[in-house]
Amino acid sequence: MGYGYDVYNQLVAVGDTDGDGHADFMARKENGDTYSYRSTGAGTFAPRVFDKTGWEEAVLFAGAGGNPDYGKHELLAITNAGLFWWYQFKNNGELAKRSTHSPDGEPSGADIGTTLYAGSFSNDGEPAQVHVYQGQLWVGGNFIGRGWDAYDNLTAPGDLSGDGKADLLARDAKGDLYLYEGNGLGTAFAPKAKVGYGYDTYTKIVGGGDLSGDGIADVVAVAKNGTLYLYEGTGNGSVPLKARKVIGTGFDIYNKFAAPGDLNGDGKADLIGVNGYGDLYRYTSTGTGSISPRVQIGDNWNIYRAIS
């Protein structure tokens, strides 16, 4: 078939584009240049043909079939004063210049409680803020309920139950883990179901799409000793997570850690961390349940108290 395709961050099956009865495909580079590869009909492709430029901002391509889309293509950073800043993804592993937005009608300022920037909870495909303020849970501006101050960690990894609707994971002070299945509208969740215990050994629990390459949302956790664990999703709400496996060490150097989704446009979920110096690092997912060596993509991030 060929080699050298690692220069692209997207390969998309587009069907028969030239009418010869053979399926072709399109490839995109990180700089936004796209190329067409025409099938010869003999199991190979003709040399690439330059197509268009300026496609670096496209997050998702769909051709024959489709690619999973987590629905989150920005990173939220919150200052100590409670100001919200958004960083859009360039789809090349880097972040665009920050910009300000207003929260979804929710409390803001120094005493804003806990805010998590999550993927889509409804059929609009748009990301939503998950916000706990004085024990009240809000999702995308929708009031969900009270009593959520019982949890010290909320995680929005996507769909864990396999019904196509985004869910929430919540950890209480005892370390018990609960699954709240979403209704697909972002307006309510099913009653909680206990799905784990002993999660108080983790300083951070995050989720942002599929790291293992099976199309099912996964969860990542940082232990107090700095070990990074991957919990692959099962797609079964009764037992949503497989047994953990080690995918890294030394992650206790990060005081902020997040799973923002796909940063480099290859359709695989990535991870980021901020160390004590304020340096921001990206860990690119291989799509097979492991991560590539870190790459620094920013500095001065110690001005923020939280990222998600």
Side-chain angles (χ1 to χ4, degrees):
M1 293 291 292
Y3 56 89
Y5 291 92
D6 54 350
V7 300
Y8 305 115
N9 64 9
Q10 287 268 353
L11 298 175
V12 185
V14 294
D16 178 20
T17 58
D18 56 2
D20 64 357
H22 306 301
D24 310 314
F25 76 93
M26 182 268 285
R28 180 188 67 178
K29 285 186 173 182
E30 288 187 352
N31 66 359
D33 293 345
T34 61
Y35 297 85
S36 296
Y37 285 82
R38 313 295 187 188
S39 172
T40 64
T44 60
F45 291 92
R48 71 180 187 181
V49 176
F50 176 76
D51 192 4
K52 296 179 180 179
T53 190
W55 284 91
E56 66 274 11
E57 294 185 3
V59 174
L60 177 69
F61 291 92
N67 297 321
D69 183 24
Y70 177 52
K72 177 183 172 185
H73 312 119
E74 292 178 299
L75 175 70
L76 170 63
I78 306 173
T79 69
N80 290 326
L83 298 177
F84 286 59
W85 292 93
W86 270 260
Y87 291 83
Q88 290 188 328
F89 301 164
K90 288 185 175 181
N91 293 310
N92 62 359
E94 298 179 357
L95 299 173
K97 184 179 179 180
R98 71 180 188 177
S99 61
T100 58
H101 293 262
S102 296
D104 296 327
E106 301 167 6
S108 62
D111 184 22
I112 59 171
T114 301
T115 297
L116 174 69
Y117 196 50
S120 178
F121 281 91
S122 65
N123 56 10
D124 63 3
E126 294 296 325
Q129 291 178 44
V130 178
H131 193 90
V132 177
Y133 180 71
Q134 295 181 349
Q136 300 177 3
L137 177 67
W138 299 75
V139 174
N142 297 315
F143 173 71
I144 304 300
R146 296 178 172 84
W148 286 78
D149 49 355
Y151 301 115
D152 60 10
N153 191 99
L154 290 180
T155 305
D159 174 25
L160 287 175
S161 62
D163 62 358
K165 304 169 185 176
D167 308 315
L168 270 180
L169 283 177
R171 181 189 67 180
D172 65 17
K174 296 187 298 183
D176 294 337
L177 191 68
Y178 295 91
L179 173 66
Y180 286 85
E181 295 187 29
N183 68 350
L185 301 174
T187 57
F189 293 90
K192 69 179 182 181
K194 186 176 178 178
V195 294
Y197 59 90
Y199 282 79
D200 52 340
T201 61
Y202 299 118
T203 59
K204 301 172 185 66
I205 304 173
V206 300
D210 175 28
L211 279 82
S212 61
D214 60 1
I216 303 173
D218 305 317
V219 172
V220 173
V222 180
K224 293 178 181 178
N225 66 0
T227 303
L228 182 68
Y229 291 96
L230 171 66
Y231 287 87
E232 295 186 25
T234 65
N236 181 348
S238 299
V239 187
L241 302 175
K242 297 180 182 180
R244 70 182 187 180
K245 67 176 184 179
V246 177
I247 60 171
T249 58
F251 281 76
D252 50 342
I253 66 172
Y254 300 116
N255 52 39
K256 287 176 280 290
F257 191 72
D262 176 24
L263 282 169
N264 64 345
D266 63 357
K268 304 166 186 175
D270 305 315
L271 303 171
I272 58 173
V274 178
N275 64 15
Y277 298 103
D279 297 329
L280 176 68
Y281 291 93
R282 182 191 76 241
Y283 289 86
T284 302
S285 172
T286 65
T288 59
S290 61
I291 52 177
S292 300
R294 71 179 188 178
V295 176
Q296 185 174 348
I297 60 172
D299 54 29
N300 199 35
W301 278 68
N302 50 8
I303 64 173
Y304 300 118
R305 76 180 187 190
I307 60 173
S308 65

